[in-house]
Amino acid sequence: QVQLVESGGGLVQAGGSLTLSCAASGIVFSNNNVAWYRQAPEKQRELVAYITTNGSTNYVASVKGRFTISRDNAKNTVYLQMNSLKAEDTAVYFCAAARIWPPRYWGQGTQVTVSS
């Protein structure tokens, strides 16, 4: 059974930092593209950052220069380092994985709340 488990969310002041982790079991992360999505209240889920099997990354414009996605294949884990957080970054953050998009596997989400 495939499981993606996010952790690292919480409450932080604007300008602060958080690092989210997405740990996988039941799949080999190195064989999958992995992304972080977020969903704020009453808004659609949006793709935040994406990392391919060969390590290429892409980001939504609103987080470029502030967020960094990375992977540790030995730990079967993907991270999202979030710096200079803003109130508008408040959302539930989900990780997702698949060999071919759209993602097949999803985590349960972790709440990030940024106070202004």
Side-chain angles (χ1 to χ4, degrees):
Q1 183 180 357
V2 177
Q3 278 193 314
L4 303 183
V5 179
E6 301 98 334
S7 61
L11 174 64
V12 64
Q13 287 188 331
S17 299
L18 283 174
T19 300
L20 305 183
S21 300
C22 174
S25 60
I27 59 170
V28 178
F29 247 179
S30 59
N31 295 336
N32 285 266
N33 302 303
V34 182
W36 285 96
Y37 287 78
R38 67 186 178 188
Q39 187 165 18
E42 301 182 356
K43 291 189 177 181
Q44 288 191 335
R45 188 173 295 188
E46 70 168 344
L47 176 62
V48 175
Y50 182 90
I51 186 165
T52 66
T53 54
N54 66 7
S56 297
T57 59
N58 204 357
Y59 302 88
V60 68
S62 60
V63 308
K64 279 185 180 178
R66 300 189 298 121
F67 289 13
T68 303
I69 188 170
S70 61
R71 64 194 308 159
D72 185 335
N73 290 333
K75 295 183 178 180
N76 227 26
T77 300
V78 168
Y79 304 96
L80 185 68
Q81 173 69 44
M82 306 186 295
N83 298 325
S84 302
L85 283 161
K86 305 175 182 180
E88 51 263 42
D89 295 318
T90 294
V92 179
Y93 284 71
F94 301 87
C95 66
R99 292 192 179 190
I100 298 174
W101 233 242
R104 180 177 180 181
Y105 308 112
W106 289 87
Q108 82 290 347
T110 186
Q111 176 70 46
V112 172
T113 303
V114 183
S115 62
S116 56

